[in-house]
Amino acid sequence: MTSKKARLIQGNRACAEGAMAAGVRFFAGYPITPSTEIAEIMSEELPKLGGKFIQMEDEIASMACIIGASLTGKKVLTASSGPGISLKQEAIGYACMTEIPCVIVNVQRLGPSTGGPTSSAQGDIMQARWGTHGDHPIIALCPSSVYECFTLTVTAVNFAEKYRTPVYVLMDEIIGHMREKVILPNIDEIKIVNRKRPTCPSNEYKPYQIDETLIPAMADFGTGYKWHVTGLFHDETGFPSGKPKVIEEQFKRLMTKFDKYSDEILSWEETEAEDAEILLVAYGSTARSALDAVNILRSEGIKVGLFRPITIWPFPEKRLKTLAEKANKIIVPEMNYGQLILEVERICKDKASVGGLFKFNSLPITPEEIMFKIREVL
Amino acid sequence: MRPELQKLFRMDKLPHIWCPGCGHGIITRAIAEAINESDLDLDKTVIVSGIGCSSRAPGYMHFDTLHTLHGRALAFATGVKLANPELNVFVLTGDGDATAIGGNHFIHAARRNIDLNIILFNNNIYGMTGGQYSPLTPTGKIASTSPYGNPENNFDIPALAIAAGASYVARGTAFHDKLLIDCIKEGIKNKGFSLIEAMSMCPTSYGRRNKMGNAADMLNDLKTTAVNINVAKKLPPEKLEGKFLIGKLHHKPYPEFTQEYDKLIAKLQKGAE
Amino acid sequence: MKRWKFRLSGSGGQGLITAGIILGEAAVIEGKEVVQSQSYGPEARGGASKAEVIIDDKKINYPKVVIPEVLLAMSQEAADKYGTEIEDNGLIIIDSSMVNNFKNDKAKIVNIPITKLAKEEIGKTFVANIIAISALVNLTKVVSFDSLKQAVLNRIPKGTEDINLKALEIGWKWAQSN
């Protein structure tokens, strides 16, 4: 499937190929722009690999379907956009609560509602964090190139498996639809992670055991463990419990289970950030414009840098805080009305002044617009 | 409980949460009897449910059990079955769960003729939330959200399932439990979408409001209102007024979804060799 | 090498996105960096449609073309909509069989009856995009003819090699004689 050859492919294709390279063998989806190419590619390729593709009757069903498939031990993925991601929220919450590995690709389009199906936007940043009801943990990764659509989908699958959690790949229309030259890694260069499965006898199995790893083993349905999965609060054995102590213990484990692994989960990229007086915080396709702005302004001697969170949730807070101590000003360009800036402000408000550059008219933010904003605050 | 049935239950989770007089316990036992008599590999049997009174049943049953979201049981079950067609997959659902919030999943699972065994516990009401009318509450009946009588029409579930593509459709009741067991067993044998509507009763939230007497009276109602389809064939239409049919209502096997998908895989992989 | 920015415009169904991909893939064959994007939606069938290609030796960040230096316009609507957005001394290739009215003093304009050639010389209008891209490559030399030819052969359906190669030749020769 992948050979070390330069190719000109779309972000959506790179994402689908990344999923298959990571071992995804089950996809359920529903047609929606601008993510449909992923479903189309999966429908063609998965059965050749012995995998399964199904187009469900709606977005809710496709999310539910991949959770069911994951319980049989398969690596699973769904892809959608805008209204589709809104519909999936109920079942995403179920996967958070029951800790079922799955990957949700969101090729962001302009919202709310039907919004702009073929227009790019980054308006689902907070939805990815808090879209479903109740407190819950989530991981969201944000590619800014076609190459990263491949590699971060692999990472997303690995994280889902390792940490027993839903993981978002937060793309945007520009990244999903553009074609870019890439040389993808060979299959043998790709690190694959499989979920931890129980080795104990079935009568000793605790699917929500609290131990030092915080990530319990998960048995495949059909292997004799006969365990119970429920979206109700449950104890270590998986059965419903309304005891406040049990709820609190399990809730705490759920909400803190990524903290222990933040070195692996958190990733970001820095460009000229170390000595930057003005620091851009940009992600996804907008980071590409920010990078142009940094390169041009640096050649003029202006100390501008870029901090690009690759893991958006949880946010790489510590590192940004350190950089904010040196920078006077932080600018957050994003294709929305101001979302990630809320997190950046929370982290940096005592260290640097934080301003935004927001665009929400369906057009991308250009390097010129970012440079104009920087010159304005100089 | 007989020892051979005990191994199908999580005895430590009993007694169940259902109200006294609820028909769900009888239906759950009928499912266990049918599984017991069908020689299924218990390690390879998965029971899926949605939300509601009936959907609590899998929690008491000793299998891989999946208590999902309101209305979504069939979508989860489709994922389980398609991902691993070796598994025997049962879906226990209620009238609100399967035909209101889950109505779309219901018709599409039937359309695919995916090999699932659906037992729809029909107590004509949303019991768990305290007695609101469902798509299977008969017109005119009182519920907490139809205090002047249900102004809506109700579904004919077997007719809906047949129209949508179910290959096996039957109906039993909490009174006709032997027939119910036979229907479930036949449904298990059918390779495809099998729907068994199991008429239950809810004295607490439905019977009381509609002055239907106690649980025994409601059970007696099921007995006297149900007509076996084989008997009904010989009766004039006027004798069937106000009655409902029980027994095997439809059986028409045709290619099953997961088997067809596996054929596609085999064909593509052979072509690639 | 300098950065090349192309905008290929016309109406949906003329194969402009395919032409953009072929141009991009020819540049990939030569080891260049390429980003290609397009307009989507109802515009993809009828109406004004565009594909954009950026080619460079260096990494390309911002993926969209703001002002192209080479514009191909294959419909009157596209010429009207995009015809004024061009770099000074840029190049505009006009399908003169589809565009009647066009003027731009800033750029060099090359008129080629692309669709007419496809119809009369080959008998298939669907190869107009290949004629156009061949002329465009000849006029800019952004990639070699061989790379373009290889990219075309990689992309087109089996059994259409002959007519596509013929289209390549026609476009190439027309550009040469201009």
Side-chain angles (χ1 to χ4, degrees), chain C residues 84-154:
Chain C
T84 55
E85 289 172 11
I86 189 84
E87 275 187 3
D88 290 348
N89 304 314
L91 170 69
I92 301 178
I93 301 168
I94 294 287
D95 182 346
S96 55
S97 51
M98 304 299 283
V99 179
N100 301 319
N101 280 316
F102 188 71
K103 245 190 156 171
N104 188 315
D105 302 330
K106 282 199 296 186
K108 179 187 173 189
I109 297 172
V110 175
N111 286 295
I112 305 175
I114 298 167
T115 305
K116 192 169 166 226
L117 286 169
K119 201 182 211 165
E120 289 178 359
E121 304 276 319
I122 298 174
K124 311 263 182 208
T125 52
F126 69 76
V127 293
N129 61 342
I130 303 296
I131 296 177
I133 208 73
S134 181
L136 179 146
V137 166
N138 184 307
L139 292 166
T140 58
K141 303 289 187 289
V142 60
V143 292
S144 72
F145 181 78
D146 283 349
S147 301
L148 177 65
K149 185 174 157 188
Q150 199 186 322
V152 168
L153 291 174
N154 288 346

Side-chain angles (χ1 to χ4, degrees), chain C residues 40-84:
Chain C
Y40 267 96
E43 289 185 7
R45 293 280 177 275
S49 150
K50 67 168 175 175
E52 294 175 349
V53 185
I54 304 175
I55 299 172
D56 202 336
D57 285 330
K58 292 191 285 290
K59 201 173 154 239
I60 301 156
N61 293 317
Y62 184 64
K64 303 277 183 181
V65 171
V66 182
I67 306 285
E69 59 182 335
V70 179
L71 171 72
L72 167 71
M74 290 187 59
S75 74
Q76 185 66 52
E77 193 188 344
D80 294 342
K81 194 168 173 186
Y82 303 115
T84 55

Side-chain angles (χ1 to χ4, degrees), chain B residues 17 19 28 38 59 66 71 87 94 107 112 132 145 155 158 162 194-195 215 219-220 231 242 261-262 265 267:
Chain B
I17 61 161
C19 307
T28 305
S38 293
L66 180 56
L87 300 175
I107 57 173
R112 291 186 189 100
Q132 297 75 30
T145 47
F155 273 134
I162 293 164
S194 304
L195 172 82
L219 209 53
N220 197 48
V231 177
Y261 203 98
D262 280 345
I265 290 174
K267 191 176 130 197

Side-chain angles (χ1 to χ4, degrees), chain A residues 279 324 327-331 345 348-355 377:
Chain A
L279 186 66
N328 299 323
K329 289 178 176 125
I330 293 176
I331 298 170
E345 273 173 348
C348 306
K349 62 176 184 290
D350 302 330
K351 320 273 177 209
S353 76
V354 180
V377 302

